[in-house]
């Protein structure tokens, strides 16, 4: 009403608007460019230019691209992260993929798989929950997501043949597992060329994940779900951690209600500053600060992929 000094109520900011402020306040240039690409109409070239700052002469990526590994040296985990970014902007192919595959070949184990961490990391700080050893084992955790992503982008390289065989053997052998390993297996199966075999394997892993309570199906009753040994207190995993998009084979593991409850939980985890928290163990202030924008972008992408309005 005129003369009363009253003003219309300001509508609450959307999740996207709150997240945008958080990104501009805290994120590295790479995450700023990624946010702009996914949500503000930004270009893919700007993302790739920012990503190139982490590229080394050996074709791998380093410089703490994955914040829990510090230092300049190339690492499989950094390179896998770079591949996910390139895939998300439609640039995972051609000479880029060839160069990356050459690096992956150079650091692969005798089985043709990837270690989580190459011994060159020993000179630099890293998270205490990521072991650095002289002769690291082959890891489905490191190999599965890379191989699945390369297959999904129809990349062919000699290294992929042995790495694919390793992944199939590792997936078939999974029995007692933990959430990150199951997620790596799903990432492989979502891109594996043998679709009928992938679907059968995914069905088995879905039953295993539910039987071993590796997924918190009711976010309101988390005390009923154990946290995997070695994980941080409260480091639970939810349906959206396995089925990041509706197209994932893991989406079949969950009822519509279970998926909706998980997405409600994810949406509700946005903090007052606009960002999402990390769920794993914090071991250094800088790593948490650098990781939260990454987690925030992925939370928004998951919500949107599953049809949730974000603004």
């Amino acid at each position: 009403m005129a003369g009363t000094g009253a003003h219309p109520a300001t509508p609450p900011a959307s999740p996207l608007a709150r997240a945008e402020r958080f990104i501009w306040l805290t994120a590295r240039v790479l995450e700023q460019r990624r946010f702009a690409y996914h949500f503000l109409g930004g270009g893919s070239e700007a993302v790739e230019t920012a990503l190139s700052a982490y590229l080394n002469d050996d074709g791998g990526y380093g410089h703490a691209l994955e914040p829990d590994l510090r230092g300049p040296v190339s690492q499989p985990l950094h390179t896998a992260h770079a591949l996910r970014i390139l895939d998300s902007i439609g640039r995972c192919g051609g000479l880029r993929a060839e160069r990356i595959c050459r690096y992956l070949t150079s650091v692969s184990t005798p089985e043709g798989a990837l270690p989580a961490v190459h011994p060159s990391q020993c000179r630099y700080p890293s998270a205490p929950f990521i072991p650095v050893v002289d002769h690291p084992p082959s890891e489905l955790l490191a190999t599965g997501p890379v191989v699945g992503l390369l297959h999904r982008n129809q990349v062919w390289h000699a290294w992929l043949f042995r790495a694919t065989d390793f992944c199939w053997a590792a997936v078939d052998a999974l029995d007692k597992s933990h959430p990150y390993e199951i997620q790596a297996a799903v990432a492989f199966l979502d891109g594996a060329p043998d679709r009928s075999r992938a679907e059968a394997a995914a069905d088995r892993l879905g039953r295993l994940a539910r039987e071993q309570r590796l997924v918190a199906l009711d976010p309101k009753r988390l005390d009923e779900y154990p946290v995997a040994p070695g994980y941080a207190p409260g480091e639970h995993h939810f349906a959206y951690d396995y089925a990041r998009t509706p197209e994932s084979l893991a989406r079949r593991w969950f009822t519509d209600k279970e998926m909706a409850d998980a997405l409600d939980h994810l949406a509700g985890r946005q903090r007052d500053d606009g960002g999402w928290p990390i769920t794993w163990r914090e071991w250094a202030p800088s790593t948490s600060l650098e990781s939260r924008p990454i987690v925030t972008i992925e939370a928004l992408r998951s919500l949107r992929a599953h049809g949730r309005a974000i603004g």
Side-chain angles (χ1 to χ4, degrees), residues 2-85:
T4 66
H7 297 280
T10 302
S14 68
L16 183 62
R18 293 162 57 202
E20 181 179 358
R21 176 173 172 78
F22 173 76
I23 291 294
W24 297 133
L25 279 172
T26 67
R28 303 180 297 189
V29 172
L30 174 60
E31 280 70 52
Q32 292 177 19
R33 295 297 197 183
R34 291 189 65 207
F35 185 90
Y37 172 83
H38 288 296
F39 306 110
L40 303 176
S44 58
E45 185 173 347
V47 177
E48 189 167 8
T49 298
L51 181 62
S52 68
Y54 300 86
L55 178 63
N56 286 320
D57 291 341
D58 60 7
Y61 289 78
H63 305 278
L65 177 58
E66 167 55 59
D68 283 329
L69 294 178
R70 314 306 292 182
V73 292
S74 297
Q75 287 293 328
L77 288 180
H78 294 317
T79 306
H81 188 66
L83 277 170
R84 287 192 294 273
I85 293 172

Side-chain angles (χ1 to χ4, degrees), residues 140 167-177 182 185-186 189 197-212 249 253:
L140 178 63
C167 288
W168 276 124
V171 167
D172 290 343
L174 280 181
D175 183 14
K176 183 66 176 176
S177 189
I182 297 295
V186 170
L189 295 173
R197 184 178 180 183
E199 290 176 7
D203 287 345
R204 184 182 75 84
L205 292 186
R207 292 192 297 272
L208 183 151
R210 294 178 73 99
E211 290 167 1
Q212 296 183 11
L249 291 174
W253 301 356

Side-chain angles (χ1 to χ4, degrees), residues 53 65 70 89-90 108 152 161 169 175 182 186 193 213 215 277 283 293-296 304:
L65 177 58
R70 314 306 292 182
I89 63 174
S108 63
R152 191 169 66 248
F161 291 98
D175 183 14
I182 297 295
V186 170
R213 304 179 73 77
V215 53
W283 63 281
I294 300 173
V295 172
T296 296
R304 185 172 65 181

Side-chain angles (χ1 to χ4, degrees), residues 144-164:
V146 169
V147 173
L149 187 151
L150 291 173
H151 279 308
R152 191 169 66 248
N153 284 274
Q154 299 183 333
V155 173
W156 293 102
H157 187 274
W159 172 77
L160 270 175
F161 291 98
R162 294 184 66 203
T164 301

